[in-house]
Amino acid sequence: MDTITTKDGVTISYKDWGGGQPIVFSHGWPLCSDDWDAQMLFFLNQGFRVIAHDRRGHGRSSQTDKGHDADHYADDLAAVTAHLDLRNAIHVGHSTGGGEVARYIGRHGEGRVAKAVLISSVTPIMLKTPDNPLGLPKELFDGLQVQVATNRSQFFIDFASGPFYGFNRPGARVSQGVIQNWWRQGMMGSAKAHYDGIVAFSQTDFTIDLKRITVPTLVMHGDDDQVVPYADSGPLSAKLVKGAILKTYKGFPHGMPTTEAATINADLLAFIRS
């Protein structure tokens, strides 16, 4: 993978394949750019240029102990797009990556952006607050941090085996390869980045960022998402982005870009070409 160095000295690894209009993919917690394999290959074969980076502290990027917050995530994405001089780009973010895309546009503007896609996104805010009564309690995220700090490897196996892909649902088609690949990606990254990242994805309020988005935007969310519950995410994000399209997937899990790649890819392509 190629790399760039950010202003604060962090090495960010990225993939850059093909030519044509660029599609930039931002991955979820605690994964890396490999989580976009099904999309990268599909859109490469459709004639697009596909780019995906490993967030700081994740995958092959520097395991720094600093900057694990939404602003740094957005700035790192901006550094990659500027380094590659990407223009007229479609930005696609999954989960934490959806927040990254929203903060990138909110913080750096739309000058290089053609369209945006938020998939199973943590936007507008996951945490339960007086203004967000449907959110999840802080104690739940505190518990995730405890598991990262005490037995990250087993926690990652359990998380991938259960709620992330909906493999805990009756009749689910469980894939050990998918589970092991999720674990592999997670364990490539830094425990510090993953620990701090829980605060970043759960407590950051992306409301203002979403309101600043004016490019065509697609919000995709499964109604059986056990990680980022549908009612407090997809519909609210779509409402905050002027003119956004909300596409709801009955029974789809949080990790639907992997388990339902054929459907997600087809709908992404239709939106991009619309």
Side-chain angles (χ1 to χ4, degrees):
M1 292 177 69
D2 295 318
T3 63
I4 65 163
T5 301
T6 65
K7 291 180 179 179
D8 60 344
V10 175
T11 299
I12 301 294
S13 296
Y14 66 90
K15 304 172 185 178
D16 180 8
W17 303 343
Q21 186 177 15
I23 306 177
V24 184
F25 295 95
S26 292
H27 64 78
W29 177 96
L31 306 171
C32 70
S33 57
D34 293 355
D35 202 45
W36 290 112
D37 283 354
Q39 285 69 45
M40 296 272 285
L41 291 171
F42 175 82
F43 284 99
L44 178 67
N45 290 331
Q46 294 291 328
F48 291 90
R49 180 182 179 184
V50 291
I51 299 100
H53 69 291
D54 291 352
R55 187 171 297 120
R56 63 169 58 206
H58 296 64
R60 305 160 189 86
S61 293
S62 293
Q63 293 201 1
T64 178
D65 65 336
K66 299 177 182 179
H68 304 298
D69 56 73
D71 285 352
H72 280 88
Y73 295 167
D75 291 351
D76 293 348
L77 176 56
V80 172
T81 60
H83 174 73
L84 297 176
D85 194 25
L86 301 179
R87 300 181 185 276
N88 196 37
I90 298 102
H91 279 266
V92 181
H94 175 246
S95 192
T96 301
E100 180 177 285
V101 168
R103 180 55 55 89
Y104 162 69
I105 294 175
R107 190 169 168 87
H108 295 275
E110 298 176 332
R112 295 179 180 271
V113 182
K115 294 183 177 182
V117 182
L118 308 178
I119 306 176
S120 309
S121 176
V122 298
T123 53
I125 182 173
M126 289 191 69
L127 189 70
K128 183 178 182 178
T129 67
D131 293 331
N132 186 42
L134 295 179
L136 298 172
K138 184 175 181 295
E139 291 76 17
L140 185 151
F141 301 110
D142 292 343
L144 297 182
Q145 285 189 305
V146 169
Q147 294 184 78
V148 167
T150 55
N151 194 349
R152 183 170 60 129
S153 180
Q154 185 61 52
F155 169 49
F156 284 177
I157 292 172
D158 294 342
F159 203 62
S161 300
F164 196 91
Y165 294 113
F167 289 157
N168 56 343
R169 294 305 198 204
R173 296 181 181 179
V174 178
S175 168
Q176 291 301 318
V178 167
I179 294 167
Q180 291 171 23
N181 189 42
W182 200 96
W183 176 89
R184 174 191 68 85
Q185 291 181 67
M187 295 306 294
M188 286 169 64
S190 158
K192 173 63 171 169
H194 297 159
Y195 186 90
D196 292 352
I198 292 169
V199 173
F201 74 64
S202 66
Q203 297 187 29
T204 303
D205 189 343
F206 297 99
T207 299
I208 299 300
D209 304 294
L210 293 169
K211 289 181 177 179
R212 289 175 176 168
I213 299 175
T214 64
V215 295
T217 301
L218 174 64
V219 177
M220 312 169 81
H221 217 107
D223 69 0
D224 194 32
D225 191 323
Q226 300 174 68
V227 178
V228 182
Y230 173 83
D232 196 45
S233 48
L236 299 185
S237 294
K239 186 177 181 179
L240 288 166
V241 178
K242 185 177 181 180
I245 299 167
L246 172 64
K247 195 163 183 64
T248 303
Y249 296 87
K250 184 174 178 56
F252 280 22
H254 187 67
M256 63 185 187
T258 296
T259 59
E260 305 292 344
T263 298
I264 298 303
N265 289 352
D267 288 349
L268 275 174
L269 182 63
F271 171 72
I272 288 169
R273 288 183 169 169
S274 64

